[in-house]
């Protein structure tokens, strides 16, 4: 069963919002084994929407529309679908009551134009909207299925979970399951060289590398009959990839460097503290964005000024004077300082030049020193030259620091 | 001139990423007065991409493609466009050198696959990629223009600014200019009430409110002939809006709460330090993400543990025992502590329950205390109940803290 998703709304074509509905629906459909071959976005324009519907019904069996269900005149998705299919519109009484109820709950009364939201093409199955005023609908017509959904993600997603998925599961026989391997520390083309033969010889499961901003992912996707265990197909290929890439594979699926670091810390019952200069708190922020961070994260110091490096972390004025704030010596004293002042098991320190200003010939923008230390007294400081704007340098430095923490934790564990 | 944007990449159809490139390009084109009537997304599939190109060339003069310029085998945008237009591919020597240089800078050597990235359809104007390996291209053919761009936003956006906009400006006669007012601290419907009449009576300039995750924007857009000063049209309407909303308007265009806070700090020659618990460094990270933060930001302490609150900030054990870490008393002692230990002019402290765990009946998830203090000895602590998941609560708390700092700075200035 092939699907196409049509996003309706001029705000999408003006770039006021991104088409996250298409992303959400696509994710869900791929899990259901339904192919999505096209996304289309059109504005609030009857003729262009009609043309999009014509094109979509030529190339897909299952056509989703998102948006254009509001009470205003420029909301015309349902009317246009009815027109396209040659159907009349009818007023759905239960929906009127539901909309009235929605307003009543909020101490407001329904305005006349909300009546429009209760009108649907003949023969439509109505999907109640428990998070807004616009109900959705499913219209089966001449072998095609039109699934009409509201635009706001907060309304679309629960409706999709509660009504669309059960409807689709009854229709589809096979399922697609993906396993994503998260890779950090190598370039895309280098990685592809290492798994080239696996990519060339792929069938089922398929294997697809994808380059992100500062990390890579490899998606292994298996097509199986519903009920069959997809991991029987996925596991052997995953093993091969892991043999090629070793511990460059830091996690799977929704893992992030910070979630893996926190998991390793909690598993090994170790605590961590961070001392950040050029990353300005980004490392602490990323670790503490993970639920349960308080089990392992004691403290972060964003020692942006020299004064702070001296007073909070005990970096010696001599070191700062002789080597400067951006130096391996300062990075090491920052780690030692954060370990001593917090008593954490593990410490990480970052000092560098994020730019755009502050670079010199010997210390260019992007030069970053990352220090990792532990209670047992092992200290390492590495230097990096990250290229890109300020935010990119900060992000790459934070990711590298998190990966360095991960690697230290792996060695501590063995 | 009508445009269509074709996003190429199976990762879009699988929902792995959202089509933010289409959003970015649409924003820029609307500012240039170029209509975008359709977005299309296709996978890494030659035939379907070709079909999308056929449909797009029927309904648009200006066709953008994003993605599919990588070194891997499934990257086939340029090849498919050449095929569609009946053009041969040629190897662009300068691009080979540029790609070699890109790798050299990073101490890596170019892999054979990357040669592919230097091949283009005959007659293409090449756009260098200063942030990645894939150059872009502009192909003019039979009255249509194909603008071929890389997928990663970090590569696409600078290329668009540096090469595409100058190219398009030469083509379009009228210009659309927008002024965005950034609003923080009120609900969308409340704001719309205040400017309802302006919205109803809009013509040129137009006025459009838009609700973001934790802030609102109002976009004032004027259509003028090239060379004419658009702000003659924009300013009077902007003044009216500002009269209605007062200091809820915190900035314009690319301003963010953090950039405005930093600007106010630098202008008033004041320094700041932060003490964060539940926001975990997010406030420090947001301030230090702005170039020049070192002029005003002295230090941030992420005092996640009680121990850290006591040792770094001098919060009294008695206070923690009596009122708990999440209390106005602790918030105030955190501000006093960060001010005393850093000597900063201004201090901000946040303590709360970000969730998902840790909530109780009297202290539910989302309860956050924000303390602001200054050297002159003015301390205020406010409490908030933010709704949403962990990240949302952290983001809303950080934004509220930044806005509180902004408001304090405004009072200090007067």
């Amino acid at each position: 069963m092939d699907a196409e998703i049509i996003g309706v709304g001029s705000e999408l074509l003006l770039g006021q919002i991104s088409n996250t509905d298409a992303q959400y629906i696509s994710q869900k459909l791929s899990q259901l084994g339904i192919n999505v071959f096209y996304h289309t976005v059109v504005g609030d324009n009857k003729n262009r929407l009609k043309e999009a519907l014509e094109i979509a019904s030529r190339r897909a069996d299952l056509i989703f529309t998102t948006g254009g269900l509001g009470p205003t005149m420029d909301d015309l998705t349902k009317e246009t679908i009815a027109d396209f299919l040659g159907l009349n519109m009818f007023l759905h009484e239960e929906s009127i009551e539901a909309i009235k109820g929605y307003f009543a709950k909020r101490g407001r009364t329904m305005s006349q134009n909300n009546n429009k939201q209760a009108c649907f093409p003949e023969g439509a199955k109505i999907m109640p909207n428990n998070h807004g005023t616009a109900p959705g609908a499913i219209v089966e017509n001449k072998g095609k299925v039109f699934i009409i959904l509201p635009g706001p993600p907060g309304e679309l997603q629960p409706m999709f979970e509660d009504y669309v998925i059960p409807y689709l599961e009854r229709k589809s026989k096979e399922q697609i399951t993906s396993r994503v391997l998260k890779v950090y520390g190598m370039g895309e083309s280098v990685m592809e060289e290492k798994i080239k033969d696996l990519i060339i010889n792929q069938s089922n499961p398929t294997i697809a590398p994808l380059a992100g901003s500062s990390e890579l992912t490899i998606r292994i996707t298996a097509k199986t009959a519903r009920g069959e265990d997809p991991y029987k197909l996925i596991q052997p290929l995953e093993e091969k990839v892991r043999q090629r890439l070793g511990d460059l594979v830091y996690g799977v699926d929704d893992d992030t460097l910070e979630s893996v670091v926190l998991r390793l810390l909690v598993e090994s019952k170790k605590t961590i503290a961070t001392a950040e200069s050029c990353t300005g708190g980004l490392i602490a922020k990323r670790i503490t964005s993970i639920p349960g961070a308080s089990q392992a994260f004691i403290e972060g110091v964003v020692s942006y000024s020299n004064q702070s490096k001296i007073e909070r972390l005990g970096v010696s004025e001599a070191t700062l004077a002789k080597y400067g704030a951006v130096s391996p010596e300062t990075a090491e004293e920052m780690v030692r300082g954060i370990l001593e002042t917090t008593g954490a098991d593990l410490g990480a320190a970052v000092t560098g030049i994020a730019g755009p200003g502050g670079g010199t010939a010997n210390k260019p923008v992007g030069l970053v020193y990352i220090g990792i230390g532990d209670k047992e007294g092992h200290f390492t400081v590495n230097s990096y030259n990250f290229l890109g704007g300020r935010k990119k340098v900060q992000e790459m430095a934070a990711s590298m620091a998190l990966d360095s923490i991960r690697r230290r934790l792996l060695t501590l564990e063995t």
Side-chain angles (χ1 to χ4, degrees), chain A:
Chain A
M1 194 159 44
D2 298 343
E4 174 157 351
I5 302 163
I6 302 176
V8 185
S10 300
E11 66 275 20
L12 288 158
L13 295 179
L14 289 169
Q16 289 169 0
I17 59 173
S18 166
N19 191 6
T20 53
D21 287 341
Q23 179 183 17
Y24 168 83
I25 295 172
S26 298
Q27 276 174 1
K28 295 296 174 180
L29 293 182
S30 85
Q31 287 160 18
L32 289 162
I34 296 171
N35 300 318
V36 179
F37 288 138
Y38 299 92
H39 296 168
T40 305
V41 173
V42 281
D44 303 307
N45 174 293
K46 198 172 171 72
N47 296 333
R48 282 190 287 270
L49 174 53
K50 209 167 159 181
E51 193 204 323
L53 288 165
E54 278 159 12
I55 293 171
S57 359
R58 279 203 300 272
R59 55 193 188 186
D61 325 301
L62 189 58
I63 294 125
F64 290 85
T65 67
T66 63
L69 304 186
T72 70
M73 292 152 305
D74 63 355
D75 292 297
L76 35 73
T77 301
K78 291 178 298 183
E79 295 76 358
T80 307
I81 289 173
D83 179 18
F84 171 65
L85 297 175
L87 301 171
N88 296 320
M89 299 285 283
F90 75 99
L91 180 71
H92 186 248
E93 291 299 340
E94 294 87 329
S95 294
I96 289 279
E97 293 316 309
I99 297 167
K100 281 191 184 140
Y102 179 89
F103 281 110
K105 255 195 197 159
R106 287 155 181 75
R108 289 153 54 197
T109 53
M110 184 183 110
S111 93
Q112 266 311 312
N113 39 16
N114 291 100
N115 274 325
K116 189 170 172 305
Q117 299 189 287
C119 294
F120 300 92
E122 290 172 318
K125 300 191 187 71
I126 312 307
M127 298 184 284
N129 184 340
N130 305 319
H131 301 79
T133 57
I138 299 178
V139 180
E140 297 179 340
N141 187 286
K142 309 196 185 75
K144 305 285 177 183
V145 180
F146 296 81
I147 299 185
I148 303 165
L149 298 165
E155 302 178 25
L156 178 145
Q157 294 181 16
M159 188 181 290
F160 200 95
E161 294 288 341
D162 298 344
Y163 302 100
V164 179
I165 289 179
Y167 173 83
L168 293 175
E169 276 179 339
R170 279 179 251 120
K171 288 193 161 287
S172 116
K173 275 159 234 62
E174 66 183 2
Q175 65 186 350
I176 290 186
T177 312
S178 284
R179 157 56 58 97
V180 175
L181 300 180
K182 299 292 200 84
V183 180
Y184 183 84
M186 78 196 306
E188 182 183 15
S189 43
V190 178
M191 178 183 78
E192 197 187 339
E193 281 299 322
K194 286 182 180 286
I195 59 171
K196 200 169 189 170
D197 57 316
L198 301 178
I199 295 173
I200 292 166
N201 301 321
Q202 66 179 305
S203 58
N204 181 26
T206 58
I207 176 166
L210 176 68
S213 57
S214 76
E215 62 172 39
L216 300 167
T217 60
I218 299 173
R219 173 171 293 255
I220 300 172
T221 305
K223 203 172 261 200
T224 53
R226 191 159 298 291
E228 193 185 331
D229 175 11
Y231 291 98
K232 282 213 181 80
L233 287 174
I234 290 172
Q235 194 133 25
L237 186 54
E238 177 177 348
E239 280 317 311
K240 278 195 192 127
V241 174
R242 286 180 177 277
Q243 280 159 21
R244 310 278 180 92
L245 302 183
D247 67 5
L248 292 170
V249 177
Y250 72 78
V252 299
D253 299 334
D254 297 334
D255 286 341
T256 58
L257 283 167
E258 46 268 38
S259 71
V260 169
V261 161
L262 182 63
R263 189 167 62 229
L264 290 171
L265 284 164
V266 171
E267 283 169 4
S268 57
K269 298 198 172 47
K270 297 208 179 298
T271 58
I272 189 166
T274 56
E276 304 181 63
S277 186
C278 67
T279 44
L282 180 54
I283 299 168
K285 177 256 172 184
R286 283 175 62 174
I287 295 173
T288 58
S289 71
I290 309 299
S294 52
Q295 293 171 71
F297 185 81
I298 292 180
E299 175 178 277
V301 171
V302 183
S303 56
Y304 223 58
S305 65
N306 280 351
Q307 169 204 353
S308 165
K309 292 182 181 70
I310 295 164
E311 291 174 11
R312 292 289 192 195
L313 302 171
V315 175
S316 80
E317 300 195 36
T319 302
L320 288 167
K322 186 168 176 196
Y323 304 104
V326 179
S327 64
E329 293 79 6
T330 298
E332 177 162 345
E333 289 189 23
M334 286 170 72
V335 196
R336 291 187 181 275
I338 195 71
L339 279 172
E340 283 159 18
T341 54
T342 62
D345 299 313
L346 211 71
V350 180
T351 180
I353 299 160
T360 65
N362 353 6
K363 294 186 177 179
V365 168
L367 174 66
V368 174
Y369 294 97
I370 296 176
I372 304 291
D374 58 47
K375 240 181 176 167
E376 291 68 36
H378 309 110
F379 292 88
T380 53
V381 176
N382 291 307
S383 75
Y384 303 89
N385 282 284
F386 297 115
L387 298 175
R390 181 179 180 87
K391 287 190 185 192
K392 187 105 171 86
V393 169
Q394 290 176 319
E395 273 161 24
M396 288 190 290
S399 294
M400 184 58 76
L402 287 164
D403 192 58
S404 308
I405 296 165
R406 176 182 76 92
R407 293 174 173 283
R408 175 62 62 94
L409 282 163
L410 292 175
T411 61
L412 290 180
E413 281 196 327
T414 55

